[in-house]
Amino acid sequence: MWYKADITIIGAGVVGLAIAAQVASKDRAVYVLEKNEAFGLEISSRQSGVIHCGIYYPEGSLKAKMCVDGNRILYELCERYGIGYRRLGKLIVATSDEETRELQTLLARGQGNGTEGLRILSKQEMKELEPNVEGIAAILSPSTGIIDSYALMKYFIARAKEAGVQIAYQTKVVGIEKKADGYKVTVEDGTGKFSFTTRTLVNCAGLHCDKVAELAGIDIAKAGYKLHYCKGEYFSVSSSKNTLVKRLIFPVPPPKVTGVGIHVTFDLEGRMRLGPSIHYVDSIDYAIDNRHKQLFYDSVRRFLPFIEYGELEPEMAGIRPKLQEPGGDIKDFVIRDESDKGLPGFINLIGIESPGLTASPAIAKYVRGLIEGVSYRH
Ligand SMILES: Cc1cc2nc3c(=O)[nH]c(=O)nc-3n(C[C@H](O)[C@H](O)[C@H](O)COP(=O)(O)OP(=O)(O)OC[C@H]3O[C@@H](n4cnc5c(N)ncnc54)[C@H](O)[C@@H]3O)c2cc1C
């Protein structure tokens, strides 16, 4: 079917689709290959839908730059193309003196990263905004919001398709071989196996990106690409509590920021939920352990005293593709052309965990720069 592609993107999650929309052009043959029967069925549909503001990530990291940039681009896209969103704002609430000191560190980091509008609130100022939240101080982030991630992916698909990108579902990449002028890619679809060549190959395979990198002959242990799966569960809260807070309410994150802490988020219909928790797991399964209800309750009742144990119900779970090992240091996104491994034009995106949804349009710009040899401007 395709004998010579210019750019082939593996994975139709929000990241692969954002890249497809960004690199799409009538002058190029661009393909997206997706092993599932539809787009966005893995990480991109099992997440919080928060447009993050960029406060958590180390200064200078790709996570920080792309989160701040992606935040701005997402709001522009939402406004211009009617993608559902709400700029709710968020509070990060301190409940101890130690956490109050940590707010200063977070504030400085966020400001260093270029996050707009951050400020510290006293207890009284916090209570004026959110009378049902308990704490002794908070950071207000006005640029945090929520987005309809399904509509965002549909927007990227429409943009890509109008410039000629083809998306092949139920098409799994099973082989990658370096050739003189690009890569021979072998795929498996309902009818069997076939191969084609592509000049540039972009690996956006989410939870399977390490295995795809391995297909190209990369030693993933040596490269530091081995993923650790980390489950995040969500519990819903009784609808009678939906209006008790107006903003997203987050705790001060634990040290080493494996996640941002179990927080309150809303969907676009205004339903409140708590999550995501953090449990490293060996395999991908989305079952929720009801015994974790106590952990959810204990995590939030310090700052949300109106939550009752009996009203929490298991809702859904997602899996993070972490480079960070349990107890290990925070790791940045890996987004690179693998020329120094003898694989020019093979672009790997590894460990695209949160804030990958927020960052997706900025990641796409960055990858386009790698393909076209142009450097990324923040
Ligand atoms: C619990 C949780 C909460 C989160 N909350 C937020 C949040 O609030 N805000 C935020 O900004 N980010 C959040 N994130 C992060 C964000 O969801 C992800 O960074 C983003 O969705 C990753 O998108 P992706 O396209 O890389 O991966 P995916 O959506 O998983 O897409 C990868 C695709 O590749 C396909 N694929 C894999 N292997 C192959 C193969 N061999 N051949 C063909 N196709 C293949 C898969 O089927 C899949 O569809 C959260 C993540 C989790 C897990």
Side-chain angles (χ1 to χ4, degrees):
M1 182 171 35
W2 322 308
Y3 295 103
K4 276 234 159 98
D6 291 305
I7 302 173
T8 301
I9 298 163
I10 306 170
V14 72
V15 174
L17 294 173
I19 295 169
Q22 183 66 228
V23 301
S25 155
K26 295 274 185 222
D27 308 328
R28 289 169 167 160
V30 180
Y31 296 95
V32 179
L33 310 179
E34 169 54 56
K35 67 178 168 58
N36 294 329
E37 62 280 14
F39 65 88
L41 294 182
E42 301 205 351
I43 314 174
S44 298
S45 56
R46 295 175 165 276
Q47 40 78 27
S48 305
V50 174
I51 303 180
H52 284 296
C53 65
I55 195 170
Y56 297 111
Y57 318 106
E59 209 173 326
S61 62
L62 289 177
K63 283 184 176 172
K65 285 189 218 155
M66 291 181 185
C67 185
V68 171
D69 204 7
N71 175 296
R72 181 182 46 74
I73 303 171
L74 281 190
Y75 283 120
E76 282 168 16
L77 292 179
C78 288
E79 276 158 37
R80 191 174 311 163
Y81 298 103
I83 299 163
Y85 77 105
R86 289 171 71 198
R87 199 191 287 251
L88 295 172
K90 93 167 169 187
L91 294 184
I92 303 175
V93 179
T95 55
S96 67
D97 291 341
E98 197 187 336
E99 287 186 349
T100 306
R101 281 192 294 280
E102 186 57 26
L103 289 185
Q104 296 293 345
T105 311
L106 277 174
L107 179 76
R109 193 186 305 152
Q111 288 171 337
N113 289 345
T115 305
E116 282 172 13
L118 296 175
R119 73 188 171 91
I120 301 255
L121 303 180
S122 66
K123 178 173 182 161
Q124 194 191 334
E125 288 170 318
M126 184 190 81
K127 282 278 183 194
E128 277 163 23
L129 294 182
E130 295 288 357
N132 296 311
V133 173
E134 277 310 320
I136 53 179
I139 289 180
L140 173 66
S141 161
S143 70
T144 302
I146 52 173
I147 185 167
D148 179 346
S149 51
Y150 182 75
L152 177 68
M153 288 189 274
K154 285 194 65 156
Y155 162 78
F156 287 140
I157 289 176
R159 267 286 114 95
K161 282 193 168 169
E162 73 193 19
V165 174
Q166 294 199 38
I167 305 180
Y169 294 108
Q170 290 178 302
T171 304
K172 180 177 179 180
V173 173
V174 293
I176 298 171
E177 199 183 320
K178 173 86 186 77
K179 292 283 175 194
D181 57 348
Y183 295 87
K184 178 179 164 197
V185 179
T186 303
V187 298
E188 224 171 50
D189 65 4
T191 62
K193 278 190 190 179
F194 66 94
S195 302
F196 66 98
T197 59
T198 184
R199 197 163 40 81
T200 300
L201 185 60
V202 187
N203 170 13
C204 304
L207 293 168
H208 312 277
C209 63
D210 54 349
K211 297 190 184 67
V212 168
E214 217 164 27
L215 289 179
I218 292 178
D219 179 338
I220 57 168
K222 199 164 146 209
Y225 292 175
K226 177 100 193 67
L227 289 183
H228 305 277
Y229 295 146
C230 182
K231 192 188 274 194
E233 298 171 332
Y234 294 84
F235 277 72
S236 63
V237 179
S238 153
S239 58
S240 64
K241 304 290 168 69
N242 284 346
T243 54
L244 291 184
V245 294
K246 298 186 205 67
R247 292 166 184 77
L248 306 177
I249 311 292
F250 285 60
V252 173
K256 295 203 173 178
V257 200
T258 312
V260 294
I262 292 175
H263 53 266
V264 169
T265 179
F266 293 98
D267 62 20
L268 285 160
E269 281 72 48
R271 283 186 293 257
M272 186 189 283
R273 65 181 183 197
L274 305 180
S277 54
I278 292 168
H279 311 280
Y280 278 90
V281 291
D282 294 328
S283 57
I284 300 172
D285 94 79
Y286 297 109
I288 301 178
D289 188 338
N290 204 27
R291 289 169 303 181
H292 294 155
K293 188 163 158 173
Q294 188 70 43
L295 166 84
F296 275 73
Y297 178 63
D298 291 342
S299 304
V300 299
R301 68 175 169 177
R302 288 175 296 136
F303 56 101
L304 299 171
F306 60 82
I307 300 281
E308 289 170 53
Y309 179 81
E311 70 186 357
L312 299 179
E313 292 293 338
E315 200 197 30
M316 65 126 176
I319 311 261
R320 304 171 182 89
K322 276 198 171 291
L323 287 172
Q324 181 180 7
E325 311 165 323
D329 291 331
I330 302 165
K331 295 280 166 66
D332 201 3
F333 293 153
V334 171
I335 306 176
R336 66 193 309 273
D337 180 291
E338 302 288 8
S339 296
D340 60 0
K341 295 187 181 68
L343 299 169
F346 181 47
I347 297 174
N348 267 323
L349 289 90
I350 315 281
I352 311 298
E353 53 168 331
S354 192
L357 169 68
T358 310
S360 57
I363 293 175
K365 275 172 43 185
Y366 187 86
V367 169
R368 182 181 182 164
L370 291 179
I371 293 171
E372 296 176 356
V374 182
S375 65
Y376 178 78
R377 272 177 223 271
H378 180 35

